[in-house]
Amino acid sequence: MNIEKRVTELVEEKIADMPHLFLVDVKMHPNGKLIVLVDGDNGIGIADCAAISRHVGFHLEEENVIEEAYNLEVSSPGIDTPLVLKRQYAKNIGRTLAIKMDDGTKKEGELLTAGDDFIIIAETIKEKGKKAETVESTIPTDKITETKVLISFK
């Protein structure tokens, strides 16, 4: 049985009655580390992570899905983890994003809108000898290779 597929099923089962939570990723690393990333529309707390971990761990042991020793880690995506789901974009409206495009270009701006297949950012464009201006850029999500939230300490 595919471990990642079974863990995905277990997490979805556990959070089915918690519509504010959503699964971001499940990854089984060769070193035995099983990482489950769960997020929420308003973040996720330690209690929710612990409950998911207990549920997944209990069933993995009960079903003996993983033969060798493993380390289960359930957490929210870290600040340096790229956005992968549309729902993550929606929860980050108003924040500044760094976006890598499939043509190698990079864009940076405040996320204004997150649609089904596009995002709109307010991007500050500075041309030499001219005053910087803010323009709205619509970016199709299929042209994005990576998006990260930029943290400001101002």
Side-chain angles (χ1 to χ4, degrees), residues 24-68:
V24 175
D25 195 22
V26 174
K27 185 82 67 198
M28 181 68 185
H29 295 275
N31 64 1
K33 193 172 214 177
L34 175 58
I35 298 177
V36 178
L37 298 179
V38 183
D39 207 348
D41 295 323
N42 297 310
I44 182 170
I46 293 172
D48 288 330
C49 287
I52 294 166
S53 179
R54 280 192 297 275
H55 180 78
V56 170
F58 173 80
H59 286 283
L60 289 179
E61 292 298 316
E62 191 78 12
E63 300 166 16
N64 201 23
V65 175
I66 304 173
E67 300 288 327
E68 65 277 351

Side-chain angles (χ1 to χ4, degrees), residues 60-153:
L60 289 179
E61 292 298 316
E62 191 78 12
E63 300 166 16
N64 201 23
V65 175
I66 304 173
E67 300 288 327
E68 65 277 351
Y70 68 96
N71 179 14
L72 173 62
E73 182 180 305
V74 178
S75 69
S76 64
I79 199 70
D80 60 340
T81 305
L83 303 182
V84 291
L85 302 175
K86 292 173 187 161
R87 200 161 167 184
Q88 288 178 292
Y89 282 96
K91 78 173 255 182
N92 283 292
I93 289 175
R95 298 183 86 179
T96 303
L97 304 180
I99 303 165
K100 291 182 185 174
M101 307 296 291
D102 62 0
D103 63 1
T105 60
K106 296 178 182 181
K107 293 184 176 285
E108 189 176 302
E110 179 186 344
L111 180 60
L112 302 175
T113 305
D116 284 338
D117 54 359
F118 68 93
I119 62 170
I120 298 175
I121 62 169
E123 188 177 15
T124 302
I125 308 290
K126 173 74 171 124
E127 291 183 30
K128 192 172 185 172
K130 293 185 178 178
K131 192 174 183 179
E133 63 178 358
T134 302
V135 297
E136 287 187 11
S137 299
T138 301
I139 304 169
T141 51
D142 63 350
K143 300 289 184 196
I144 298 173
T145 58
E146 182 180 85
T147 303
K148 290 187 177 184
V149 176
L150 294 178
I151 302 303
S152 173
F153 294 102

